[in-house]
Amino acid sequence: MIYGILLTLCFTTSFIPQIVKMWRNKSCKDISVYMLLLQVIGYLSGVIFLILEGIENLLLSFNYYSGLFIAIITTIGWFLCNEYDKKKEFNKSKRIT
């Protein structure tokens, strides 16, 4: 049981350093969007598996649902940050010329 709780906490909180890094640096250049999309697909697959198999394990459900939620939030943050990066680069190039 303790390993399941530890697993859930680690997987769920593993995105927090990336979110903080994007927020502080106002940049997402160091973070791969493909990794984020694979995380979303993986957690979504886990949620679908739980639903289709009728599994009602609270720990597994919390792990997959919370992981999916934070993966989606991080991915949305990446796209918003990427737009910010593009605008920043455009304004920087505009000032140079």
Side-chain angles (χ1 to χ4, degrees), residues 39-93:
Q39 290 285 337
V40 170
I41 291 167
Y43 280 117
L44 184 60
S45 298
V47 168
I48 292 170
F49 173 75
L50 290 176
I51 293 169
L52 292 179
E53 295 295 320
I55 298 171
E56 296 180 4
N57 183 310
L58 180 64
L59 201 55
L60 276 176
S61 296
F62 180 75
N63 183 22
Y64 287 125
Y65 283 103
S66 61
L68 177 62
F69 175 74
I70 201 160
I72 289 171
I73 295 298
T74 308
T75 304
I76 290 170
W78 186 92
F79 281 105
L80 293 173
C81 183
N82 193 42
E83 285 300 312
Y84 179 81
D85 281 347
K86 287 179 184 177
K87 287 178 185 176
K88 191 167 62 173
E89 288 296 319
F90 177 75
N91 289 336
K92 191 176 180 181
S93 67

Side-chain angles (χ1 to χ4, degrees), residues 23-36:
W23 184 265
R24 283 187 182 158
N25 295 338
K26 303 280 191 256
S27 177
C28 55
K29 291 179 181 177
D30 296 337
I31 300 166
S32 169
V33 71
Y34 299 113
M35 185 255 331
L36 296 174

